[in-house]
Amino acid sequence: MSDEATRPPLANHEPDEAEQRVRSVVKDCVHCGFCLPACPTYQLWGEEMDSPRGRIHLVGQLLDGAPLTPATAGHFDRCLGCMACMTACPSGVQYDQIIEAARDWTEAGANPLAGASASGSAGDGGAGGAGGAGGAGGAGGAGDDGAVAVAPTAPRSRADRVTRAAIFALFPYPRRLRVATAPLRLAQRVGADRLLARSGLVGRVSPAAEQALRLAPPSRPLAPGRFPERVPARGTRRAVVGMLTGCVQSVFYPGVNAATARVLAAEGCDVIIPRDQGCCGALSLHSGRAAEAAAFAKRTIATFEAAGVDVIVVNSAGCGSAMKEYERLFARLGEEGGEPETEDGASPALPGQLEAAAWSARAALLSARVRDFSEFLDELGPVAVRRPVPVRAAYHDACHLGHAQRITAAPRSLLRAIPGLDLAELRDAGVCCGSAGVYNLLQPEAAAALGTRKADSVIAADVSLLISANPGCTLQISAALATQGVTMRTAHVAEVLDASINGVRLV
C-alpha cells in the first residue's frame, strides 16, 4: 500500500452510525491468524490480502481515508463470502459485517468516508458518504430492469461492470432465466453446447457466459404446470408452513421444490406456496447491492406476511441465510441515512430512516420464522415412515448453511435415519466448493481450482450419490466432476427424504 493509504483518519471527520459499527467490528480482530488456514482463497494463493485478516486490514485503511483502488477492490471481490473464517475465529469477529461493508463500497465505487478521496471525486462520479449501501443505491443501484448505473471512476473495469449488470438483470428473475435458458436446453438436446464449448467462441465474447455454459445442468423435462398454492398435510396437521421456491432452484431444480412440498406434507404440514413470490434478494445482498436486496426483501416480507404461515421453510442455503439477515439489512440502510440537525438543535430521523426502522421490525418478525428445510424437520421430529434407500452417499456442507447458519448436524441426522443409506464424510466437508452465489461466474479460475479440490474429495469418498442443500453447490460440483470425466447422481436432502418417505425414484 502507498504512503497515502496509511495516512491517519481525516481531521474534523464525524463518523456516522454505519461507520462506527464497522470500525467497532474491525477492532475486534486481534490478527491471530486462525482464519488463514480456514480461508479457501488464502489456501489457494498464500496471499495475506486475500485472507480475512488481510481484508479486515484493508477495510481499516479505507476507514482511515485510503483510496479505494482497483487492487483493493480486487481483494474484496476475490472473497468467496463463505464465512469459514467466522467458524474458525476464536474472537468472534463478525467478518460478515466487514465484507458486506467492503462490497457495498466497492459496488458503489466509493471510499466509505464522507469527503474522503475515492477512486474519483464526488464531482466526477465517485459516490461520497459513509453509507456504502446508500451509495450503492445511487452509484451502484439497479433500476426496474436490473441495469446498474455505475460511476465512471469505479474501481472495476468496464467489462466487469457490464458482466455484473447482466448477471443481476437475469438471475434474480425466474421468468427471464427460463427464457434465457430455453436456447441452451435446445442446444443441449442436439449437442450444440459441446461444440460451442470446444470452439472457445463464447469465452472470447464473455468469460462469464462461457462459465455459465459449463455450469448449466443437463436438460431435463420441466415440472408440469405451476405448483398448487396449497399442499394439504397428510394425516394430522402439525404446522402451516410457507415455502420459498427461489430463483435458480425453481428454474434448474424444480424437482427439489416438488420434493420439499411432498416431504413437508407427509410430515403433517400444510404447505403454502405463494404464487406472487419472487427473488429473496440473496444474490444481491451477498454481492454488495444492498438497495437492490432491500427491494427484493420488501416484496418477500409482504408476500409471506399475507400468507399467514407459522414458519417459512427454505431449501436453498444462500436464500435462508439472506432471509435470516433481513433485520440487519434494514438496520444498515437506516444507519446510512444520516441525521441532519434542525434549527433548534434536534436531530429527528429522516423519513427514510423511519421507513427503514419499520421494515426492520417487520423483517425481524419474518426472520424469526425462517427455517432451513433440514433445520425445521429436525426440530419438528419425524412421523412419516422411512423406507430403505440403499446407496452410499456423501453430504456436502453448503457454506451458507454450515458456516453462515451453523447448521451441520440436522441434515446428517435426517440422512442417517434413512434405512440402507451409507453416509460418507468428505475430507474437506467445510471448505467452499467455489460456487458462492455468482462467484464462479465472476472469478472462474479461483472457482475452478476450488471445484477441482471438491471433486477430488467426492471421488476419493467412493460414493455414487452426492447430496447438497444448495443449487449453486450442486451445479458447481457436478461441473467439476464432469471436467474429470465423472458423471455422478446428485440430490438435495429433500429429494433423498422424498425417495425414502414417498418412494419417488432418485434420478
Side-chain angles (χ1 to χ4, degrees), residues 156-167 205-208 442:
R156 293 191 180 119
S157 69
R158 179 173 179 78
D160 190 12
R161 300 197 304 271
V162 169
T163 297
R164 288 171 185 271
I167 287 171
V205 175
S206 169
L442 297 169

Side-chain angles (χ1 to χ4, degrees), residues 18-353:
E19 184 187 330
Q20 288 176 349
R21 176 176 50 80
V22 177
R23 281 187 182 277
S24 176
V25 178
V26 165
K27 288 178 181 177
D28 288 339
C29 178
V30 298
H31 309 290
C32 66
F34 275 85
C35 61
L36 299 183
C39 176
T41 52
Y42 186 80
Q43 289 179 22
L44 287 179
W45 306 310
E47 166 60 50
E48 176 72 20
M49 291 305 138
D50 284 317
S51 74
R53 182 173 69 178
R55 294 182 181 111
I56 290 171
H57 176 68
L58 290 175
V59 169
Q61 291 189 321
L62 289 176
L63 288 168
D64 288 343
L68 179 59
T69 65
T72 300
H75 293 302
F76 296 148
D77 284 342
R78 285 194 288 273
C79 175
L80 291 137
C82 69
M83 305 309 159
C85 55
M86 290 180 62
T87 300
C89 180
S91 301
V93 175
Q94 299 300 301
Y95 178 78
D96 53 346
Q97 296 188 38
I98 297 171
I99 196 62
E100 280 173 5
R103 283 177 166 160
D104 286 348
W105 303 333
T106 303
E107 189 71 19
N111 184 291
L113 296 181
S117 60
S119 53
S121 68
D124 63 6
D144 292 339
D145 61 356
V148 180
V150 183
T153 53
R156 293 191 180 119
S157 69
R158 179 173 179 78
D160 190 12
R161 300 197 304 271
V162 169
T163 297
R164 288 171 185 271
I167 287 171
F168 287 98
L170 177 62
F171 281 89
Y173 303 94
R175 290 180 183 175
R176 299 181 193 178
L177 194 55
R178 287 190 186 93
V179 171
T181 55
L184 173 60
R185 294 181 184 278
L186 178 60
Q188 287 177 330
R189 292 192 188 101
V190 299
D193 60 319
R194 294 188 294 273
L195 292 175
L196 276 173
R198 285 196 295 267
S199 71
L201 289 174
V202 177
R204 286 195 285 273
V205 175
S206 169
E210 181 181 49
Q211 184 73 347
L213 183 66
R214 186 181 76 85
L215 291 167
S219 177
R220 295 177 182 175
L222 294 176
R226 293 180 174 181
F227 286 110
E229 290 189 78
R230 179 179 177 273
V231 178
R234 282 167 32 191
T236 302
R237 186 174 71 186
R238 305 168 70 198
V240 179
V241 306
M243 189 180 90
L244 183 81
T245 53
C247 303
V248 173
Q249 190 88 284
S250 65
V251 175
F252 289 134
Y253 296 109
V256 172
N257 285 336
T260 299
R262 286 193 295 263
V263 170
L264 290 170
E267 293 290 12
C269 300
D270 275 356
V271 185
I272 308 301
I273 310 172
R275 282 192 177 169
D276 57 348
Q277 63 178 289
C279 176
C280 69
L283 290 178
S284 303
L285 177 61
H286 297 146
S287 299
R289 302 167 70 93
E292 183 177 87
F296 286 129
K298 288 178 181 179
R299 176 176 174 179
T300 303
I301 292 168
T303 296
F304 283 100
E305 283 176 340
V309 296
D310 304 323
V311 173
I312 301 156
V313 174
V314 184
N315 58 21
S316 173
C319 298
S321 174
M323 292 174 71
K324 290 178 178 180
E325 296 172 32
Y326 277 172
E327 181 182 8
R328 192 172 80 211
L329 167 64
F330 288 107
R332 282 167 53 203
L333 293 177
E335 289 174 346
E336 292 158 357
E339 294 189 16
E341 292 192 0
T342 60
E343 291 183 1
D344 59 4
S347 299
L350 295 173
Q353 288 177 298

